[in-house]
Amino acid sequence: MNLVLCLLSTRQFLGADRIRGIVPGYADAPTGDAFFRMFERDKAELRDLGIPLETGRNSGFDGTEGYRIARRDYELGEIDLEPDEAAAVALAARLWDSHDFADAARRAVVKLRAAGVDVDHGTAPAVEPRVRISEPSFAVLHAAVQAGRLVTFDHRRSSSPEPMRRVVEPWGVVSWRGRWYLVGHDLDRQATRCFRLSRIVGPVTTSGPDGAVQRPEGVDLLSIVAATAEPPPPAPPALLWIAKDRANGLRRHGRTTGERVVGGIDGDLLEIEFNHSGSASDWIAGYGPDVLVVEPESLRESVREVLLGAMGEGER
């Protein structure tokens, strides 16, 4: 941000040495090489963000190139959204449950409002999807993919309880059948591999310089996961208690087997078969106190963990 403000505030091209003396943080670099590494990293990040960084000389007598950001290219142009488009932007900002992505979505809405776009963020939609990311390693892996850095982690295979150390060039993190997978090049095996995030044990560490890892052109990450990942086990039939006239979305997929009063509230017992237990727990938890899991115990505990996680996010 300091670099952007510096380059926006001048009409002249500023050389690297002058930028080092002006921008806070660069003066702390212990050596000239360390400063240039920081400067190159920040320039690459600005270009990735779409910020137009110009290079040039102020005159023919200048021996080195300088840098600046032209305000006319940087400022957000006029945006004219139709009411339904503005509503879609607001819905997208509410889509992510992940703390990191939710912050990015909110910043995007603030920028649109600053540009004069009327983004209706307060109207509650009839259907509001959520993208839940509960894997602890997701944020580190996603950041490594964006930065192009190596990752090292311990991964437990389905056929063995003992985790194995993996060093991977990460290409992307994708969701398939309700589960998150890392796809990349396994350096030890010299082959393309995908790893289920829920089987990563312990912390993920990154290494190497930014930009060292490049995703090959034409690689379809989802196709790799679909071809190599093991299918999730079928979930056993679930018996749910659903409050009267509630959770119609669940009712359409179940068979009523009886009635029961829970906590003084009338409800129905429904038997439902879910394709995947992981997505089922998120779906059920979304109905809050209107739906209770009677059996199986594993699904009841999974829903409980989702609800406890949601409470923790709300407190944060």
Side-chain angles (χ1 to χ4, degrees):
M1 181 61 69
N2 290 327
L3 179 59
V4 170
L5 293 175
C6 172
L7 297 180
L8 270 175
S9 63
T10 179
R11 295 182 179 179
Q12 295 182 334
F13 291 101
L14 299 180
D17 290 337
R18 190 173 179 188
I19 291 173
R20 183 182 183 183
I22 296 175
V23 177
Y26 287 150
D28 298 333
T31 64
D33 289 341
F35 158 69
F36 278 108
R37 286 196 298 269
M38 295 170 60
F39 187 43
E40 290 298 322
R41 178 202 63 197
D42 291 344
K43 287 192 300 180
E45 185 171 350
L46 292 184
R47 293 190 177 99
D48 290 342
L49 292 172
I51 296 177
L53 192 64
E54 287 187 296
T55 59
R57 292 180 171 88
N58 295 312
S59 69
F61 298 100
D62 286 344
T64 58
E65 285 191 336
Y67 305 88
R68 72 181 181 187
I69 297 174
R71 188 173 294 274
R72 65 180 182 278
D73 297 329
Y74 174 79
E75 291 177 342
L76 189 64
E78 182 178 354
I79 300 177
D80 184 17
L81 295 181
E82 297 297 328
D84 58 337
E85 294 173 326
V89 171
L91 178 60
R94 285 198 293 260
L95 179 63
W96 293 96
D97 270 346
S98 165
H99 179 69
D100 296 333
F101 289 104
D103 286 345
R106 283 191 290 268
R107 289 195 297 269
V109 171
V110 170
K111 290 182 180 179
L112 288 172
R113 284 175 173 164
V117 179
D118 185 15
V119 179
D120 185 6
H121 198 274
T123 303
V127 178
E128 184 172 340
R130 306 295 287 179
V131 177
R132 176 171 295 277
I133 302 175
S134 57
E135 301 297 343
S137 59
F138 180 93
V140 178
L141 292 173
H142 181 266
V145 171
Q146 297 298 310
R149 303 186 67 196
L150 287 171
V151 293
T152 303
F153 53 86
D154 293 330
H155 186 265
R156 177 176 50 81
R157 295 184 300 176
S158 60
S159 59
S160 173
E162 295 298 324
M164 298 181 62
R165 177 59 54 93
R166 301 297 183 103
V167 181
V168 179
E169 295 179 341
W171 295 344
V173 182
V174 296
S175 177
W176 185 72
R177 291 190 175 180
R179 289 171 173 166
W180 289 96
Y181 293 84
L182 169 71
V183 182
H185 181 72
D186 190 319
L187 293 182
D188 293 328
R189 290 157 181 76
Q190 288 297 307
T192 301
R193 292 288 188 270
C194 64
F195 304 91
R196 208 171 92 191
L197 267 60
S198 62
R199 289 195 174 141
I200 292 179
V201 180
V204 176
T205 59
T206 59
S207 60
D210 289 355
V213 178
Q214 297 292 331
R215 174 177 164 181
E217 294 290 338
V219 171
D220 188 339
L221 301 182
L222 278 177
S223 296
I224 294 174
V225 174
T228 59
E230 62 188 59
L239 183 63
L240 307 180
W241 175 88
I242 302 178
K244 288 288 186 182
D245 302 321
R246 300 288 185 176
N248 291 324
L250 276 173
R251 289 178 178 274
R252 286 195 294 267
H253 295 272
R255 179 177 63 87
T256 302
T257 61
E259 297 181 348
R260 182 178 295 182
V261 178
V262 176
I265 301 174
D266 293 333
D268 301 312
L269 295 175
L270 276 80
E271 188 178 82
I272 303 179
E273 292 187 3
F274 295 103
N275 292 329
H276 311 297
S277 57
S279 57
S281 58
D282 287 344
W283 189 16
I284 295 170
Y287 290 100
D290 293 332
V291 179
L292 301 176
V293 178
V294 179
E295 58 184 37
E297 175 68 21
S298 58
L299 180 58
R300 182 163 60 245
E301 286 300 314
S302 180
V303 172
R304 180 175 178 274
E305 290 177 2
V306 172
L307 291 173
L308 290 175
M311 291 174 59
E313 291 172 4
E315 294 172 357
R316 184 176 58 203

